[in-house]
């Protein structure tokens, strides 16, 4: 049963605790290319080909160039109405966690505070030798001589345990899970969606297209996150 936007708005208004799961679609209207959408390709490479330890070991310069290209897009980007709506929703709810698969910093720049970053942060560099982290810049090597890699989780790498446990716990106890702008194909992040349903939360999905979970969620809204989210906010 696909409930209406009005139902979704009242579920959010009545909820004691809300969890949100966002993907690249929430940053698309800020001009940041998504992974699998039309604009997501870079020189015909797929994210799965470059966002791996193997690709970095084989061709660190190419992988680094891809991240520098993406960082430039993040620096140029500004949060859009979807980011601001989620920051506003957090302020009017006692129980709230924003779980993001995104590695950009637009949620934080829009004012979101309680954020679980499942896949790390692109604006951070980490030394593969001494593990020291720093703001991403132009240098390729650490003072210790080790190569710098982006502070993100690559395919085949484990998610930061603390972040994932926070996300899983929030999803188990939330009244509503709001899923925004994700193709829901990357695990274990996507597994949070059926977990919410299993724990009897209402699940609302906002996406331009159908996802593997569209038929199972309680309310699947088609359209731009930047337009739908501000309209979903309970009148606070
Ligand atoms: C792990 C960081 C184990 C890097 C990313 C087979 C089956 C199941 C799983 C697997 C499998 N084979 C391998 C796996 C595991 C693998 C996986 O899930 N692969 C997938 C591809 C099948 N997962 C992993 O490897 C994870 N690790 O499992 O480790 C382990 C355990 C212990 C010890 C060792 C190992 C790690 C996954 C994390 C990978 N890193 N990113 C970087 O960014 O460079 S994932 C990458 O995809 C991004 O983080 C992104 O967020 C994520 C998901 O993509 P989306 O955000 O959904 O973006 P996408 O473009 O796909 O979709 C955008 C959506 O928005 C679309 O639906 C579109 O319609 C919509 N949209 C667009 N514009 C708008 C919009 N909606 C609304 N408004 C708009 N304006
Ligand atoms: Zn170092």
């Amino acid at each position: 049963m696909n409930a209406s936007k009005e139902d979704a708005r009242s579920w959010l208004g009545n909820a004691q605790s809300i969890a949100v799961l966002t993907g690249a679609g929430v940053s698309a209207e800020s001009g940041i290319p998504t992974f699998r959408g039309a604009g997501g390709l870079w020189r015909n490479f797929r994210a799965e080909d470059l966002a791996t330890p193997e690709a970095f070991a084989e061709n660190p310069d190419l992988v680094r160039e891809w991240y520098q290209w993406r960082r430039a897009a993040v620096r140029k980007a500004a949060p859009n109405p979807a980011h601001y709506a989620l920051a506003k929703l957090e302020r009017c709810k006692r129980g709230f966690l924003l779980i993001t698969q995104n590695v950009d910093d637009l949620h934080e720049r829009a004012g979101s505070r309680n954020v679980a970053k499942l896949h790390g942060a692109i604006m951070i560099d980490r030394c593969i030798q001494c593990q020291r982290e720093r703001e991403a810049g132009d240098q390729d090597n650490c003072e210790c001589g080790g190569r710098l890699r982006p502070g993100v989780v690559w395919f085949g790498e484990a998610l930061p345990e603390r972040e994932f446990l926070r996300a899983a716990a929030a999803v188990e106890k939330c009244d509503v899970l709001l899923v925004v702008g994700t193709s829901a194909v990357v695990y274990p992040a996507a597994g949070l969606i059926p977990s919410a349903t299993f724990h009897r939360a209402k699940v609302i999905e906002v996406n331009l297209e159908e996802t593997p979970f569209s038929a199972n969620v309680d309310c699947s809204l088609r359209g731009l996150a930047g337009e739908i989210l501000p309209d979903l906010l309970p009148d606070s």
Side-chain angles (χ1 to χ4, degrees):
M1 148 279 212
N2 192 11
S4 69
K5 192 190 305 188
E6 289 61 40
D7 295 324
R9 192 182 297 116
S10 71
W11 296 338
L12 288 166
N14 299 330
Q16 296 298 313
S17 140
I18 293 176
V20 181
L21 174 66
T22 63
V26 85
S27 297
E29 291 157 83
S30 299
I32 296 188
T34 62
F35 280 82
R36 294 165 190 82
L41 290 180
W42 180 71
R43 292 198 203 155
N44 297 328
F45 285 104
R46 291 181 328 136
E48 283 80 6
D49 302 334
L50 291 175
T52 67
E54 294 74 22
F56 184 68
E58 211 173 290
N59 196 336
D61 296 340
L62 175 72
V63 172
R64 190 139 185 87
E65 195 183 337
W66 181 49
Y67 279 95
Q68 296 300 57
W69 175 76
R70 290 174 60 194
R71 284 164 172 165
V74 172
R75 288 192 188 94
K76 262 208 316 274
N80 69 60
H83 295 106
Y84 287 115
L86 293 173
K88 187 174 169 196
L89 184 59
E90 175 178 348
R91 287 192 293 273
C92 57
K93 285 292 161 188
R94 241 165 4 84
F96 184 95
L97 181 66
L98 173 61
I99 303 158
T100 188
Q101 301 172 85
N102 297 343
V103 293
D104 63 52
D105 56 356
L106 295 183
H107 282 306
E108 295 83 352
R109 281 160 57 189
S112 288
R113 289 280 165 276
N114 211 357
V115 182
K117 293 182 80 70
L118 299 186
H119 296 159
I122 196 168
M123 302 315 276
I124 297 286
D125 261 335
R126 186 173 67 240
C127 170
I128 60 173
Q129 211 79 29
C130 70
Q131 305 306 319
R132 220 163 59 72
E133 295 197 339
R134 79 281 322 270
E135 269 297 299
D138 293 337
Q139 79 258 49
D140 292 344
N141 290 76
C142 171
E143 297 68 34
C144 82
R147 277 280 335 202
L148 293 177
R149 61 157 287 175
V152 299
V153 178
W154 277 330
F155 287 99
E157 292 186 323
L159 274 57
E161 193 169 352
R162 182 177 172 280
E163 297 295 273
F164 190 69
L165 290 177
R166 278 175 76 205
V171 159
E172 283 173 19
K173 75 170 183 16
C174 72
D175 305 312
V176 178
L177 172 67
L178 176 58
V179 184
V180 189
T182 181
S183 57
V185 296
V186 173
Y187 285 79
L192 294 169
I193 302 170
S195 168
T197 301
F198 178 77
H199 289 90
R200 278 189 247 302
K202 291 286 188 198
V203 181
I204 304 161
E205 177 190 61
V206 175
N207 200 311
L208 284 179
E209 65 185 10
E210 186 112 339
T211 72
F213 293 101
S214 298
N216 312 62
V217 298
D218 300 284
C219 174
S220 183
L221 300 169
R222 273 302 153 277
L224 293 166
E227 286 173 9
I228 293 179
L229 288 194
D231 195 24
L232 266 189
L233 288 189
D235 311 321
S236 45

